Amino acid sequence: MNVWLSREFAAPEWGEGALLSHRADGALIHLVSASPLQDIQQAARRLCSQGIHRVSLAGHWDREQQWAFAQGLQTPKVEVELQWATCSEEDRAELEGRWLCGRWVREMTNATPEQLGPLDLAVEAAAFITELAPDKVSHRILKGEALAQAGWVGLYQVGRGSDREPVMLELDFNPGKDPKAPVAAALVGKGITFDSGGYSMKTSQGMLTMKHDMGGAAIVTGALALAMLRGLDKRVKLILCCAENLVSGHAYKLGDILTYKNGTTVEIVNTDAEGRLVLADGLQLACASGAPLILDAATLTGAAVMALGGRYNALFGLDKGLVSRAMTYAEAEQEPAWPLPLEPWHRTQCPSHYADTANSRPVPGGGPGGASNAAGFLSRFVANEGQGWLHVDLASCFSENGDSLWAPGANTLGMRTLARTLLDETR
């Protein structure tokens, strides 16, 4: 089907203020509201819901209009086909890059827990990035007991209850191929491929969509790939912390105390607050690389969803200048994001009688300020008083049932923001 944009109202027979109208050779989207990109995405959702999965964009479309349509023309059931409108080589390359990276993010995040275990996720991510620059990428994978021997206690403990071993991927994109080149940035992603909640078990309804708890790992991988396609020429590390959080006779338990590499002791008061435990390892490895810029992303807290309503990602940082610039990058990339509070005192908001800190508060949702307290926990594991560190709580990367703008399942929100942050902050 051909689809055009129109600045005129639809004919009366289509209804007053109709967004879509049809003619023999295709459909028209009528841009008559104050939110044209939202109109375009909503129109694409309607067409996709009607079973239209092959579309050619006809006439004049700018870059962001085409991407808005692409975001709406998605369904987890069918692989859609989209032909871009005539545009410059630069625009086409950017759109193709977003499409490639976004498709990978969706495929990984929508995969079933049986299809995508911790090792599978690490291998898929390494293969995807390596394919883009085979001679500039190297990686190593640690798993199972090797994690414990290396001191990555959080990832090991969270994942040890599963028959599928926990895995850490450390990928090195080194475009200059100089082993002594400084690392300009590190990306860290939470890769919990299924989250039962452990002994703090979720309800069946709460567990149903937990295949997407590896969304952070998918988003940071997609962001690195997109930045590479946009011309990234600095050395960057990608660190994915991958595990299944399950219940078994070997699973970690409430009341356990973990001692991290930096000496911080953590009492487990909620086994469902596992994401911060694995990210703590990833953040320490990122800091050990010497990278002055560290970006992490995770589907970390329901509290961020409660605060922002599921349409915005939450930004946190002790480096207020970086958070402010990240907001600017998010706006430039048309990805809704909003900063939530984080101050040094947030790291003390989960007290423990037995350890330096607990991993949460032993109340539903972690209690008041749960998202900020989780970010405060993470701040214990970054260097330089948090300067150069940005934490993204991905409150909007997955839609359980879909809506007028988004298909059910994964989307790409956060990928472009992190790619822009990575590029602009390392120039």
Side-chain angles (χ1 to χ4, degrees):
M1 171 183 278
N2 292 320
V3 177
W4 289 264
L5 296 179
S6 173
R7 297 287 179 179
E8 299 178 351
F9 286 99
E13 60 265 28
W14 295 101
E16 184 177 353
L19 180 61
L20 276 167
S21 66
H22 293 265
R23 62 192 199 192
D25 55 350
L28 286 86
I29 302 174
H30 299 275
L31 305 182
V32 294
S33 82
S35 305
L37 294 181
Q38 184 170 299
D39 289 346
I40 290 169
Q41 187 168 338
Q42 187 172 347
R45 284 294 314 128
R46 291 186 187 179
L47 291 172
C48 193
S49 298
Q50 294 167 9
I52 298 168
H53 302 134
R54 297 181 179 179
V55 173
S56 295
L57 303 181
H60 177 72
W61 297 65
D62 67 30
R63 180 192 292 182
E64 292 305 327
Q65 289 172 338
Q66 294 188 72
W67 186 243
F69 189 93
Q71 291 285 66
L73 191 75
Q74 298 291 336
T75 170
K77 293 184 177 181
V78 179
E79 185 172 342
V80 299
E81 297 179 17
L82 181 60
Q83 180 68 46
W84 308 112
T86 302
C87 55
S88 68
E89 289 186 11
E90 180 183 356
D91 282 353
R92 183 171 293 277
E94 170 66 13
L95 290 167
E96 291 289 352
R98 293 181 196 176
W99 185 264
L100 174 69
C101 299
R103 183 174 59 190
W104 186 87
V105 169
R106 284 189 170 95
E107 286 179 354
M108 293 299 104
T109 310
N110 287 337
T112 71
E114 188 61 28
Q115 291 171 330
L116 194 76
L119 181 59
D120 303 307
L121 174 57
V123 169
E124 290 285 351
F128 179 54
I129 298 296
T130 301
E131 188 175 352
L132 298 179
D135 60 336
K136 300 174 182 178
V137 175
S138 61
H139 74 275
R140 67 170 185 157
I141 289 176
L142 287 180
K143 60 181 181 176
E145 292 299 324
L147 290 169
Q149 294 168 9
W152 302 124
V153 61
L155 181 55
Y156 174 74
Q157 292 292 336
V158 168
R160 69 178 188 156
S162 172
D163 289 340
R164 297 201 273 192
E165 296 176 309
V167 171
M168 179 181 281
L169 169 68
E170 182 183 4
L171 182 144
D172 186 0
F173 170 63
N174 190 352
K177 306 179 188 178
D178 178 3
K180 297 182 179 179
V183 177
L187 297 167
V188 182
K190 172 187 171 185
I192 302 297
T193 56
F194 185 73
D195 182 18
S196 72
Y199 280 104
S200 305
M201 188 169 286
K202 297 177 182 291
T203 65
S204 180
Q205 181 181 3
M207 211 183 295
L208 179 60
T209 60
M210 282 300 103
K211 64 183 182 182
H212 90 278
D213 212 20
M214 40 61 67
I219 288 289
V220 293
T221 303
L224 174 58
L226 182 58
M228 290 166 62
L229 292 171
R230 288 178 172 181
L232 178 67
D233 60 358
K234 298 294 194 304
R235 188 178 185 184
V236 174
K237 295 271 191 174
L238 175 70
I239 299 163
L240 303 186
C241 304
C242 309
E244 289 182 319
N245 184 22
L246 299 182
V247 173
S248 74
H250 194 52
Y252 79 128
K253 305 170 187 69
L254 295 155
D256 283 350
I257 293 178
L258 312 186
T259 302
Y260 279 86
K261 270 195 169 187
N262 68 354
T264 300
T265 56
V266 178
E267 181 189 5
I268 305 303
V269 302
N270 184 348
T271 61
D272 196 23
E274 85 297 330
R276 65 201 71 180
L277 297 175
V278 305
L279 283 178
D281 284 333
L283 289 171
Q284 288 178 95
L285 181 57
C287 290
S289 75
L293 176 69
I294 296 175
L295 310 174
D296 82 70
T299 51
L300 202 65
T301 67
V305 180
M306 291 297 291
L308 299 179
R311 284 285 181 91
Y312 285 73
N313 286 325
L315 306 181
F316 296 87
L318 295 170
D319 187 335
K320 305 306 181 187
L322 177 57
V323 173
S324 178
R325 294 192 299 276
M327 275 292 296
T328 302
Y329 303 144
E331 291 171 2
E333 295 288 348
Q334 308 287 337
E335 291 189 331
W338 199 255
L340 290 181
L342 179 61
E343 301 296 339
W345 53 264
H346 277 107
R347 68 185 59 174
T348 66
Q349 295 304 292
C350 298
S352 166
H353 294 303
Y354 306 102
D356 295 328
T357 183
N359 70 322
S360 184
R361 289 181 177 177
V363 294
S372 294
N373 295 341
F377 177 92
L378 294 179
S379 73
R380 290 174 174 269
F381 301 93
V382 294
N384 304 319
E385 300 299 320
Q387 295 303 297
W389 167 59
L390 179 73
H391 163 56
V392 184
D393 197 328
L394 295 166
S396 67
C397 79
F398 190 89
S399 177
E400 183 173 351
N401 297 309
D403 56 26
S404 63
L405 295 175
W406 300 101
N411 59 54
T412 64
L413 291 177
M415 179 183 76
R416 291 174 58 188
T417 298
L418 287 170
R420 172 74 70 100
T421 304
L422 181 58
L423 281 167
D424 284 14
E425 292 292 319
T426 58
R427 282 179 179 159

